[in-house]
Amino acid sequence: VSVDLRKKSKYFGKHSSLILSDKNNKQIFVPPGFAHGFLCLSNKCIINYYCTETFDNNDEYGLKWSDSDLKIKWPINNPSLNNRDSSFPLFQDIIDKKLLPKL
């Protein structure tokens, strides 16, 4: 799933999703300015993750996966999340506190 965080985009706050599998051999490019997350629907998955710039932990941020304002239809209600991902704010809080990246 990816969410457009580019304030000047007509798709700001909208999301798109795609199922990737070893059967369909699809892949996805998520450009800068988008939040993104993934959910493994099998017992095991391998993810190859590439960045457009050198990885920097200080550039990491996120938004709450289950934010009802985003209307993302995840195929699971209670995923296993790490502490960081479970503490991300709601999309509206990110907007109100001006936490969006400068793009």
Side-chain angles (χ1 to χ4, degrees):
V1 172
S2 62
V3 178
D4 191 347
L5 298 180
R6 302 168 301 166
K7 283 197 96 162
K8 294 181 180 178
S9 169
K10 67 180 181 178
Y11 299 107
F12 177 68
K14 304 294 183 202
H15 75 276
S16 63
S17 64
L18 177 68
I19 294 181
L20 308 173
S21 74
D22 60 341
K23 308 258 185 297
N24 66 25
N25 291 312
K26 292 183 179 182
Q27 51 187 315
I28 186 170
F29 172 73
V30 180
F34 285 75
H36 58 280
F38 54 88
L39 169 67
C40 181
L41 297 172
S42 62
N43 292 329
K44 178 180 168 184
C45 63
I46 298 171
I47 298 170
N48 291 317
Y49 196 90
Y50 297 96
C51 298
T52 54
E53 296 182 20
T54 303
F55 179 77
D56 182 353
N57 278 341
N58 296 322
D59 285 342
E60 283 196 335
Y61 56 91
L63 49 94
K64 188 169 188 77
W65 73 275
S66 60
D67 188 335
S68 60
D69 288 345
L70 298 175
K71 298 179 174 74
I72 299 171
K73 292 183 173 142
W74 292 98
I76 189 171
N77 292 324
N78 196 14
S80 175
L81 300 172
N82 63 33
N83 288 337
R84 183 195 68 170
D85 291 355
S86 62
S87 66
F88 284 148
L90 297 170
F91 182 63
Q92 190 60 52
D93 290 338
I94 291 171
I95 294 169
D96 292 346
K97 295 177 183 173
K98 298 181 175 34
L99 299 175
L100 287 171
K102 293 181 175 139
L103 303 169

